[in-house]
Amino acid sequence: EEFISEYNFTLHAYSTETHPFVEDLQTLINYCTPDRATDEHGLLLQEEQAEILERIFSQNGFDASACVLDCACGIGTQAIGLAALGYSVTASDISEGELAQAKARESFDIATARAVSELRILCEITLPFVKVGGKLLAMKGASGEKELTDAKTAIQKLGGRIEQVHKFTLKDADGNEEERCIIEIRKIAPTPNNFPRQYAQILKKPL
């Protein structure tokens, strides 16, 4: 409760200059999920994901001065990793009420998300908050390319354009390799004002 009351994780930005946040959030993770968070592989996975994202950022002309949104951050795996690399990261975990009240429209250079929802839904809850010229980097598993095929109409409606699919493998806690991909989408036009819809409607009828 002490950690949770001290830090509001929704739509607040933190950089690596705020070292106590990173340290205390890791302590909170260790307390809540000791087996996973203190596992050496789990910490390495955090670093690996951040480094993979940073390489894609760099390939697209973004450096640590970029303003990054980690959508539906959960325990903060990507947010903490990117902050440790020097990025200013807004970590958000979006509920239906927060989505309706969000005021950060088209203000982020980059949005990232992992294990949130299928790509059609993910695009609607992220692309409206990305600047024109910015990027959405969606980390997906083996089903990523199929989700991308299903999401083409949604991406176009929301002002996005598919740029590239980055494929790679990560090892799970047992050392088995898992296929992953990061789907890179560029924001090329403003998102129409009727998006995002209420979250219940997004889930009921994805674009």
Side-chain angles (χ1 to χ4, degrees):
E1 290 181 1
E2 179 182 346
F3 287 116
I4 293 171
S5 63
E6 185 175 355
Y7 299 113
N8 179 355
F9 297 116
T10 303
L11 296 177
H12 279 251
Y14 302 90
S15 70
T16 48
E17 295 179 359
T18 319
H19 289 298
F21 163 71
V22 178
E23 294 169 358
D24 287 351
L25 182 54
Q26 188 62 61
T27 302
L28 176 61
I29 294 168
N30 290 348
Y31 178 78
C32 293
T33 55
D35 292 339
R36 177 59 177 167
T38 58
D39 178 74
E40 181 180 354
H41 172 77
L43 296 178
L44 179 62
L45 185 63
Q46 178 187 104
E47 295 170 2
E48 286 178 336
Q49 289 185 27
E51 288 169 0
I52 290 167
L53 288 168
E54 184 178 46
R55 286 199 296 270
I56 299 174
F57 293 174
S58 179
Q59 290 169 8
N60 287 277
F62 294 109
D63 57 23
S65 65
C67 183
V68 180
L69 170 65
D70 184 6
C71 177
C73 63
I75 63 171
T77 300
Q78 292 180 353
I80 296 172
L82 289 171
L85 293 175
Y87 290 86
S88 176
V89 182
T90 293
S92 74
D93 208 47
I94 300 178
S95 71
E96 182 175 350
E98 290 162 344
L99 183 61
Q101 299 173 27
K103 297 180 180 180
R105 192 177 185 86
E106 296 187 341
S107 61
F108 294 94
D109 298 302
I110 305 164
T112 72
R114 170 182 172 273
V116 179
S117 60
E118 66 157 290
L119 191 59
R120 291 180 298 169
I121 295 170
L122 178 61
C123 286
E124 188 166 353
I125 63 176
T126 54
L127 281 177
F129 306 103
V130 176
K131 295 176 181 177
V132 173
K135 291 288 183 76
L136 165 61
L137 301 177
M139 184 176 284
K140 290 288 182 180
S143 65
E145 290 188 276
K146 180 184 184 304
E147 289 188 35
L148 181 58
T149 299
D150 295 339
K152 286 181 178 179
T153 298
I155 292 167
Q156 184 178 13
K157 284 183 177 180
L158 296 164
R161 181 180 67 202
I162 301 163
E163 295 254 295
Q164 193 172 352
V165 178
H166 304 264
K167 297 181 180 180
F168 58 98
T169 59
L170 290 177
K171 291 184 179 180
D172 63 19
D174 298 320
N176 301 312
E177 290 192 346
E178 297 180 342
E179 291 186 5
R180 303 285 181 90
C181 69
I182 292 179
I183 298 171
E184 180 182 334
I185 298 170
R186 178 178 291 277
K187 183 77 171 285
I188 61 171
T191 300
N193 289 332
N194 55 319
F195 300 114
R197 298 166 293 166
Q198 291 288 330
Y199 192 56
Q201 188 178 5
I202 296 174
L203 291 176
K204 185 177 181 180
K205 191 175 181 181
L207 293 174

